[in-house]
Amino acid sequence: MIDLLQVSQLPPFLVERLEKEFTLHDFVDPADPDKLLDEIGPRIRGILAGGMKGPNANLINCLENLEIISSFSVGYDATDVAAAQARDVIVTHTPEVLTGDVADLAMTFILMAPRRIGEAERYLRSGKWLGGRMDLGTTVRGKRLGILGLGRIGKAVARRAEVFGLHIAYHDIKPMGDLLYRSYPSLLDLANASDILLVACEGGEANRGLVDGKALAALGPEGFLVNAARGPIIDQPALISALRDGGIAGAAMDVFDGEPEVPAELMAMENVVLTPHIASSTHETRRAMADLVYDNIRAHFDGKPVLTPVPPQI
Ligand code: 8YV
């Protein structure tokens, strides 16, 4: 059987399916990684990765017979794709199948933060309602939604937001062709012209800290920030300051810099919605992602083209 290295947690149903046809080696948290690699490294022909944990250049380059990395995620910033592709190692991911669920969560956030839904639930549960009505929220309809990164997920959120009567604009480094949405040449221009700023761009080093203190200041004291992409895209200390000092009105986030650790300051704030990276976490989507991870691996080792390769990065 072909040997695969599993570097990230995967759903049990995917592991079980793969184990019927491949030998899987658990490398999620190895006690002695060097010893294990000495033993099995030369046999490894594939890596199973995830959105938050993938192989770095060192690991990729020490596996001389590596042919493919299949990531259980649409985002591939955790894998050193450039290092893999430089060695002609194929990298695959799971686009499309999770777009709907991720967009649904982002749209939920766009409603939740201005309407103060998380805070309202805490208000009721803690018995505060008995002491009087909660403060007012903000209407979402008619507000300006700025989308940073108009890819598959950004577009899917835009379609949902149209139905809720939001005015949509975006900033993207890629030309988008003819769209009905207004394009802004920079994030600052977009943030200036937005009531709600949705982060929907790729993660990775190039975008680390992209949403910085200046962008948050441009969003302004009545603005809301929504992030269901990657935590490090936002300068987290700058966000905490802006939320604390009234620089922005509120935020809703599914991802964090350094997750699963979430800063205590954020946890203590009322004007934030926080979820534990659940955007794609539905039975249906996780099954579809697992099928795609399997299908990519199977296709490759059957000598067929993979279904969803990561585009060339170099
Ligand atoms: C997953 C993700 O939670 O697809 C992505 O990029 O971040 C999420 O769908 C993650 O990949 C699980 O490993």
Side-chain angles (χ1 to χ4, degrees):
M1 282 210 282
I2 291 166
D3 291 72
L4 304 176
L5 196 67
Q6 181 190 342
V7 304
S8 167
Q9 299 277 8
L10 296 171
F13 49 82
L14 174 58
V15 171
E16 274 163 35
R17 187 171 183 197
L18 287 164
E19 276 178 337
K20 291 196 178 114
E21 296 167 40
F22 301 92
T23 303
L24 248 65
H25 300 276
D26 186 343
F27 202 70
V28 179
D29 211 359
D32 192 343
D34 294 338
K35 186 163 169 271
L36 189 56
L37 286 179
D38 279 349
E39 275 168 36
I40 60 166
R43 301 208 300 271
I44 299 297
R45 294 174 62 192
I47 289 181
L48 299 157
M52 304 315 295
K53 215 164 167 207
N56 60 17
N58 279 346
L59 181 57
I60 290 167
N61 290 328
C62 81
L63 300 173
E64 66 253 42
N65 292 312
L66 184 63
E67 297 167 34
I68 181 167
I69 300 165
S70 184
S71 188
F72 182 77
S73 63
V74 63
Y76 38 80
D77 46 299
T79 290
D80 194 330
V81 179
Q85 291 179 342
R87 274 194 46 202
D88 289 331
V89 171
I90 296 167
V91 185
T92 69
H93 64 144
T94 62
E96 314 282 359
V97 293
L98 47 61
T99 302
D101 275 338
V102 177
D104 284 351
L105 185 80
M107 190 62 230
T108 305
F109 276 0
I110 290 167
L111 297 168
M112 277 185 87
R115 295 298 308 272
R116 303 170 69 168
I117 309 290
E119 188 183 344
E121 209 203 353
R122 287 191 294 276
Y123 193 86
L124 182 152
R125 285 178 189 272
S126 65
K128 285 188 188 157
W129 191 12
L130 299 170
R133 301 293 298 251
M134 196 183 122
D135 284 346
L136 305 182
T138 301
T139 296
V140 173
R141 191 176 56 262
K143 295 293 188 306
R144 300 164 302 168
L145 172 66
I147 303 182
L148 174 61
L150 200 65
R152 298 178 195 90
I153 293 169
K155 284 184 184 147
V157 181
R159 286 194 294 275
R160 286 157 175 74
E162 280 181 43
V163 179
F164 283 89
L166 282 144
H167 304 293
I168 294 146
Y170 70 96
H171 166 67
D172 199 298
I173 49 166
K174 293 186 278 302
M176 287 289 144
D178 282 344
L179 281 177
L180 288 177
Y181 312 133
R182 177 161 181 186
S183 162
Y184 282 92
S186 73
L187 167 59
L188 270 191
D189 291 323
L190 179 71
N192 249 317
S194 300
D195 300 303
I196 302 163
L197 182 66
L198 168 70
V199 180
C201 59
E202 285 174 15
E205 277 314 303
N207 286 346
R208 179 177 285 278
L210 185 63
V211 180
D212 57 8
K214 281 191 196 139
L216 295 169
L219 184 58
E222 290 177 5
F224 293 89
L225 183 76
V226 172
N227 188 8
R230 285 288 184 262
I233 299 168
I234 296 173
D235 176 343
Q236 205 158 263
L239 173 65
I240 291 169
S241 304
L243 285 164
R244 189 192 50 219
D245 304 338
I248 66 169
M253 285 164 292
D254 186 47
V255 286
F256 305 87
D257 195 358
E259 65 186 59
E261 304 274 335
V262 176
E265 296 103 309
L266 278 181
M267 298 259 221
M269 285 174 184
E270 280 295 359
N271 56 342
V272 292
V273 178
L274 310 171
T275 53
H277 202 147
I278 56 157
S280 69
S281 301
T282 62
H283 295 293
E284 295 84 347
T285 290
R286 287 297 166 94
R287 288 265 171 199
M289 290 166 70
D291 286 348
L292 205 41
V293 167
Y294 171 87
D295 290 345
N296 276 311
I297 289 276
R298 190 66 271 167
H300 174 73
F301 288 112
D302 286 347
K304 297 180 190 147
V306 294
L307 283 78
T308 47
V310 170
Q313 305 292 298
I314 31 180

